[in-house]
Amino acid sequence: MIENLVIVESPAKAKTIEKFLGKDFRVISSFGHIRDLTKKKNLGIDVENDFAPDYEVPKEKTKVVSELRKAALEAKNIWIASDEDREGEAIAWHLAVVLKLDLSTTKRIVFHEITKDAISGAIDNPRSIDMNLVNSQQARRILDRLVGFEISPVLWKKVQPSLSAGRVQSVAVRLLVEREREIFAFKPESSFRVTSLFRTDDKIKENGIIRAEASKRFPDEKEAQKFLELCSTSGYEVAGVTVKPGTRSPAPPFTTSTLQQEAYRKLGFSVAQTMAVAQKLYESGKITYMRTDSTNLSKLALVKSREVIISEYGEKYSKTRQFKTRTKGAQEAHEAIRPAYPDNQSVSGNQNEKKLYDLIWKRTIASQMADAVMEKTTISIDMNNSSVKFNATGEVIKFDGFLKVYTESSDQENNDEERYVIPPVKKGMPLYYNVVTASQKFTSPLPRYTEASLVKKLEELGIGRPSTYAPTISTIQNRGYVSREDRPGEKRQIRILALDGGKVTTTSRTEITGREKAKLFPQDIGMIVNDFLVENFSEIVDYNFTAEVEEQFDEIALGNIKWTGMLKKFYVPFHKTVENTLEKKERKTGIRVLGKHPETGESVTVRMGRFGPVAQIGNSENDNKPRFASLSKNQLLETITLDEALNLFRLPRTLGFHEGEEIIVGIGRFGPYIRYKGKFVSLKKGVDDPYTVTIERALEVIHEKAEDEKKKVIRDFGDIMVLNGRYGPYISKEKQNYRLPKGTEAEKLTADECTRIIEKSNKTKKSS
DNA sequence: CAGTGAGCGAGCTTCCGCTTGACTT
């Protein structure tokens, strides 16, 4: 018999709380939700009967639930301590129902921080389960099920099987598709930006250098040239100097979203990777909970951080701050993400754990440090033969404050404006130019989203929760809607005019534009699904949809409106739209007519086919059979041209014959290849082009592959072989591969030894 | 693993939010 049983959501939390509570308390965890809507019939919802939900304990939860039941039977008092938010309240209610506790007397408690005082305070002040809050969760859950499970089947019928739609994922895809189209439509414009290096000294070129920019940009090279000629004969004078003090404040401590952004920008982590590493740190007690939307720090954390700052950097670097959470729809059930023990400046663990901890430590400590104080100097410089002015700005840090520890990164890539100090000048002082440069600058479109910047955008729109950001990003990639890719970019010539010693010289420079790294690119199927949803379910993919239903969930939580009524208002028209769409709308294939074949006059089209995007010449209405070719990677239905489509039909082609066998070159799933005697050889990336490769080169590649094959076999015992693979030697038998025990000499293996290794490996597999 | 694009039909896919392992190489 246990005196007191406390149920929390997370096992790591259970462990720490048990320590504080002592012997009379046992603390166990529910591992999150324990029940969900069934998938078996009617979506788990009886829409005819006031949306009565049909809940079940999912298979993977039965073990946890039976353990909870057992513990509940043995306990005298039960305290449900799930998180203090909508989902947490629902978990408490499901627990009470499943464990057959009396709803009116079940003790519901919440902790705001994990300290002895906070926990015993909570135990002393139990409340009952808030059914209004529970009902707002039921409305949220049921609405999401209705949206997801009624629209997805429409996509299976009208677009392609296995697709999905949902309140969160479909908006994420829409953001990406719309940004991509803005980028397609973007026409870069160029202008000339004029910068000048002035000096304060008449004679010595190196003295008192001031970097300044002209107040005007020039539309073309001619205008820039004209201006530089003016510059060459102009006199210059300091027209004004202003010195303004300024301060900068530290960023608030990490939430899930800001942690994902900074770990991407500073460490190059994907959002899934960030969460996995943070989970490890959390489980080993090094950081607080990593799925949170709160920037709040506990009193204990504030006090500890202050101590660390004073002892490391001194009293004047400390400034205790509490940050308000501004995020839309934040529920603040947890603290911000922070070191569990701020006095641990570093932790043990693997490299990634150390790096992420370091980032969290710095961000937390910096948030409790003093503002940085700077002095910003602006100088304006007059010309005596033009109304154009030059302006220079410089910044001096008077007190570094939090910058000593941490600076937040930004998504903008051009960080070329480093801080620089302007030499002392006075109004009326003459200046002399060293060199004046006019360089061509192109405008660029809004950047493509990264995983992290998409999370940021979703959070701003109040769409998704800390526990779902990473899974949502995975889902839209798994469905094929978007793909995370690099692009090499393209070369572009820019013109540079330089005035030096009274002469203007013009040069060209090559710059790379459109280079992308780990960006999210919408794919054809993502664009087709998005357009279908925007056409037919505009309400659901509206950027404000979530915010609007959230307002109603809040009203339900306050007891102002009934959850079933809210659902009915939404569902009746929504369901009608679903039926209408099923009945009346055509299949959507994203078809585009590109034009006519220049020789045969047949129509050339592209569309989404059964196996992906396809180009087609002719159609089955004519007697001629239509011809098909798959689009290659990086080509989109939306942007492919007639010429590009026709080009696809040039492959596969026959290069010629060797020893009576045909040599064919083509592009397959894994890139360009050569087929000879029934075997495939990949062409080297970036070296060979399948459209121009010669038969001589093809034979060379085939020969190289044959040589490699020979080296691959170390020992050959018939059905058992010892082979050389990517990760070193291994044993292969009946298409199964086996690792060699450490220290084995592959060349000396006998057939018997191989059999033994295989048997041993099979045994350990079965026993586990 | 380098192909496929006729049509039919059975049986499957799918949501968002809360939590972690259970698997494999």
Side-chain angles (χ1 to χ4, degrees):
Chain A
M1 190 78 186
I2 325 156
E3 192 70 17
N4 297 292
L5 177 71
V6 178
I7 305 174
V8 296
E9 290 181 41
S10 151
K13 198 171 171 181
K15 230 166 49 187
T16 34
I17 289 172
E18 198 155 49
K19 268 188 241 151
F20 288 119
L21 282 171
K23 269 199 211 123
D24 298 337
F25 284 82
R26 188 174 161 208
V27 187
I28 56 175
S29 108
S30 75
F31 293 79
H33 274 293
I34 54 156
R35 284 207 304 183
D36 192 13
L37 297 171
T38 179
K39 291 181 184 178
K40 284 182 192 119
K41 49 174 189 185
N42 300 332
L43 315 174
I45 305 155
D46 188 352
V47 292
E48 302 291 314
N49 188 13
D50 250 355
F51 301 93
D54 183 5
Y55 292 112
E56 67 177 9
V57 176
K59 215 175 147 203
E60 62 275 16
K61 286 287 182 181
T62 50
K63 203 176 150 206
V64 187
V65 167
S66 67
E67 275 161 22
L68 288 166
R69 276 209 185 99
K70 203 174 138 215
L73 284 174
E74 287 171 3
K76 219 174 184 180
N77 299 310
I78 299 174
W79 316 75
I80 302 183
S82 47
D83 298 342
E84 189 183 29
D85 58 15
R86 198 162 65 199
E87 298 297 327
E89 204 66 16
I91 289 173
W93 176 68
H94 284 298
L95 280 168
V97 175
V98 171
L99 302 181
K100 301 196 170 71
L101 310 178
D102 184 345
L103 274 179
S104 59
T105 59
T106 295
K107 295 190 198 79
R108 169 82 169 109
I109 52 169
V110 293
F111 316 124
H112 294 107
E113 48 186 84
I114 315 276
T115 59
K116 201 173 164 62
D117 284 353
I119 293 166
S120 45
I123 294 280
D124 292 338
N125 294 293
R127 57 174 174 83
S128 55
I129 291 172
D130 178 351
M131 279 315 290
N132 286 332
L133 197 50
V134 173
N135 287 337
S136 81
Q137 192 276 346
Q138 297 203 82
R140 199 280 304 154
R141 178 67 192 92
I142 289 170
L143 181 130
D144 280 336
R145 170 59 65 85
L146 290 171
V147 168
F149 275 37
E150 291 213 359
I151 299 183
S152 297
V154 178
L155 294 178
W156 305 342
K157 285 214 173 68
K158 300 293 180 185
V159 185
Q160 230 176 54
S162 303
L163 296 174
S164 65
R167 176 176 57 81
V168 174
Q169 59 169 285
S170 297
V171 174
V173 173
R174 182 178 188 182
L175 285 164
L176 295 167
V177 170
E178 289 187 347
R179 175 63 55 88
E180 194 67 18
R181 287 188 174 140
E182 279 174 49
I183 295 170
F184 293 158
F186 185 81
K187 298 256 185 315
E189 285 170 8
S190 81
S191 61
F192 286 77
R193 175 179 177 234
V194 178
T195 55
S196 176
L197 288 184
F198 292 105
R199 62 179 190 276
T200 53
D201 194 305
D202 186 6
K203 303 269 156 46
I204 306 166
K205 268 199 155 186
E206 288 73 27
N207 277 6
I209 302 291
I210 298 169
R211 284 201 315 244
E213 183 179 339
S215 57
K216 198 181 146 191
R217 285 192 176 203
F218 299 87
D220 53 40
E221 196 172 330
K222 221 169 132 190
E223 296 282 320
Q225 171 89 24
K226 263 206 279 192
F227 179 67
L228 289 198
E229 280 159 12
L230 271 182
C231 286
S232 87
T233 57
S234 179
Y236 302 90
E237 185 183 301
V238 176
V241 182
T242 56
V243 180
K244 265 196 206 150
T247 58
R248 270 177 73 191
S249 303
F254 280 132
T255 60
T256 303
S257 150
T258 52
L259 177 68
Q260 289 172 349
Q261 288 160 46
E262 275 290 88
Y264 171 80
R265 296 189 283 229
K266 285 204 158 81
L267 309 175
F269 287 4
S270 70
V271 302
Q273 193 182 4
T274 299
M275 294 314 283
V277 176
Q279 178 87 30
K280 274 268 181 314
L281 291 170
Y282 168 66
E283 282 171 9
S284 52
K286 296 179 183 114
I287 61 169
T288 55
Y289 195 57
M290 64 283 155
R291 289 184 276 264
T292 175
D293 52 22
S294 172
T295 54
N296 195 53
L297 292 176
S298 70
K299 275 190 213 100
L300 183 91
L302 295 179
V303 170
K304 285 281 172 210
S305 303
R306 187 178 153 77
E307 284 172 17
V308 170
I309 293 161
I310 290 174
S311 80
E312 288 283 315
Y313 311 106
E315 178 89 46
K316 66 175 181 174
Y317 277 93
S318 162
K319 182 178 177 184
T320 300
R321 308 165 193 259
Q322 197 54 272
F323 292 84
K324 282 240 164 63
T325 304
R326 290 219 190 85
T327 314
K328 225 190 257 178
Q331 309 205 358
E332 303 213 59
H334 303 95
E335 272 189 76
I337 305 169
R338 63 161 174 94
Y341 306 100
D343 33 349
N344 290 347
Q345 194 159 344
S346 60
V347 292
S348 57
N350 67 29
Q351 277 310 307
N352 285 347
E353 286 164 37
K354 284 182 186 208
K355 280 193 223 161
L356 193 69
Y357 180 86
D358 181 62
L359 193 63
I360 294 168
W361 185 85
K362 285 178 174 161
R363 175 88 164 209
T364 309
I365 293 298
S367 81
Q368 297 306 312
M369 289 176 75
D371 286 352
V373 180
M374 20 269 268
E375 196 176 81
K376 198 172 177 181
T377 308
T378 311
I379 304 179
S380 75
I381 299 160
D382 276 348
M383 299 174 69
N384 67 6
N385 62 358
S386 162
S387 62
V388 176
K389 286 178 188 301
F390 280 86
N391 297 305
T393 57
E395 196 176 71
V396 184
I397 295 179
K398 293 285 180 184
F399 173 63
D400 55 358
F402 76 94
L403 293 175
K404 204 175 194 73
V405 174
Y406 174 88
T407 334
E408 189 178 32
S409 300
S410 93
D411 285 328
Q412 261 75 50
E413 282 148 33
N414 45 330
N415 283 337
D416 54 357
E417 283 195 21
E418 71 224 66
R419 258 176 224 105
Y420 113 105
V421 185
I422 291 193
V425 289
K426 282 206 178 82
K427 190 178 168 180
M429 248 170 90
L431 295 175
Y432 312 90
Y433 78 83
N434 278 357
V435 61
V436 187
T437 316
S439 18
Q440 192 176 16
K441 295 281 170 196
F442 284 90
T443 54
S444 37
L446 286 168
R448 285 197 177 81
Y449 284 103
T450 63
E451 290 187 349
S453 68
L454 181 61
V455 168
K456 182 181 179 185
K457 182 72 190 176
L458 288 172
E459 187 188 39
E460 281 167 15
L461 293 168
I463 298 172
R465 304 277 313 128
S467 67
T468 60
Y469 295 138
T472 300
I473 300 286
S474 302
T475 299
I476 60 177
Q477 293 180 63
N478 291 339
R479 297 275 171 277
Y481 294 153
V482 307
S483 155
R484 192 180 63 198
E485 283 170 21
D486 300 341
R487 293 284 157 91
E490 280 166 17
K491 282 183 186 159
R492 177 164 72 188
Q493 293 296 315
I494 58 168
R495 304 281 284 163
I496 297 170
L497 286 66
L499 165 67
D500 194 353
K503 259 179 68 184
V504 178
T505 51
T506 308
T507 49
S508 276
R509 206 176 49 125
T510 310
E511 67 172 14
I512 302 286
T513 174
R515 173 150 55 198
E516 298 281 28
K517 198 137 197 278
K519 293 288 174 67
L520 295 174
F521 287 80
Q523 307 292 297
D524 288 311
I525 192 64
M527 297 182 132
I528 291 171
V529 166
N530 175 65
D531 292 353
F532 183 83
L533 295 176
V534 171
E535 275 164 37
N536 297 294
F537 297 97
S538 57
E539 185 196 7
I540 307 299
V541 290
D542 191 296
Y543 294 125
N544 291 319
F545 177 65
T546 290
E548 280 159 17
V549 292
E550 280 290 344
E551 271 175 31
Q552 299 180 57
F553 296 149
D554 287 346
E555 290 296 305
I556 296 168
L558 291 169
N560 294 339
I561 58 174
K562 271 187 77 178
W563 69 281
T564 50
M566 181 256 156
L567 281 177
K568 193 168 181 185
K569 254 193 191 151
F570 164 75
Y571 184 72
V572 171
F574 168 73
H575 185 67
K576 208 169 270 168
T577 311
V578 169
E579 292 194 320
N580 236 328
T581 310
L582 273 176
E583 198 184 317
K584 295 192 178 132
K585 295 293 173 130
E586 293 271 301
R587 271 188 80 86
K588 194 157 182 106
T589 62
I591 191 163
R592 270 181 69 219
V593 180
L594 299 183
K596 297 244 183 287
H597 191 282
E599 282 145 33
T600 65
E602 294 165 295
S603 72
V604 180
T605 55
V606 289
R607 65 184 163 84
M608 185 54 75
R610 280 207 292 158
F611 310 108
V614 66
Q616 179 174 349
I617 298 177
N619 52 51
S620 37
E621 285 161 32
N622 298 353
D623 287 343
N624 291 338
K625 254 196 172 176
R627 285 180 288 154
F628 299 94
S630 291
L631 266 63
S632 63
K633 214 170 170 310
N634 295 358
Q635 284 182 326
L636 286 175
L637 292 177
E638 195 155 323
T639 51
I640 191 171
T641 62
L642 178 62
D643 284 346
E644 286 165 349
L646 289 172
N647 216 16
L648 295 169
F649 291 89
R650 287 173 56 201
L651 294 175
R653 67 191 177 104
T654 304
L655 278 181
F657 290 83
H658 182 69
E659 293 174 359
E661 296 271 353
E662 200 177 8
I663 302 175
I664 294 166
V665 56
I667 297 179
R669 279 219 293 148
F670 311 100
Y673 65 88
I674 296 165
R675 199 166 77 205
Y676 175 63
K677 287 187 182 170
K679 279 194 175 168
F680 291 88
V681 188
S682 286
L683 280 173
K684 297 238 162 57
K685 213 176 159 187
V687 179
D688 296 309
D689 177 357
Y691 292 103
T692 57
V693 73
T694 60
I695 187 161
E696 290 77 20
R697 173 63 189 154
L699 287 168
E700 224 176 278
V701 174
I702 292 166
H703 184 71
E704 268 174 39
K705 166 102 177 200
E707 289 293 302
D708 286 351
E709 290 279 311
K710 270 186 213 157
K711 280 184 214 150
K712 195 181 159 192
V713 181
I714 301 170
R715 307 282 283 166
D716 188 346
F717 307 115
D719 61 334
I720 299 176
M721 300 218 277
V722 183
L723 302 173
N724 219 341
R726 263 200 300 170
Y727 310 113
Y730 67 96
I731 300 173
S732 165
K733 184 193 174 187
E734 290 161 0
K735 290 195 175 174
Q736 293 267 352
N737 296 341
Y738 303 89
R739 220 187 302 180
L740 296 183
K742 264 191 191 148
T744 315
E745 283 182 75
E747 294 80 10
K748 294 183 184 162
L749 275 173
T750 63
D752 283 353
E753 280 167 339
C754 287
T755 315
R756 242 174 284 147
I757 292 170
I758 291 169
E759 276 168 7
K760 208 173 160 194
S761 155
N762 283 341
K763 243 184 226 166
T764 51
K765 258 180 219 164
K766 270 171 207 161
S767 67
S768 63

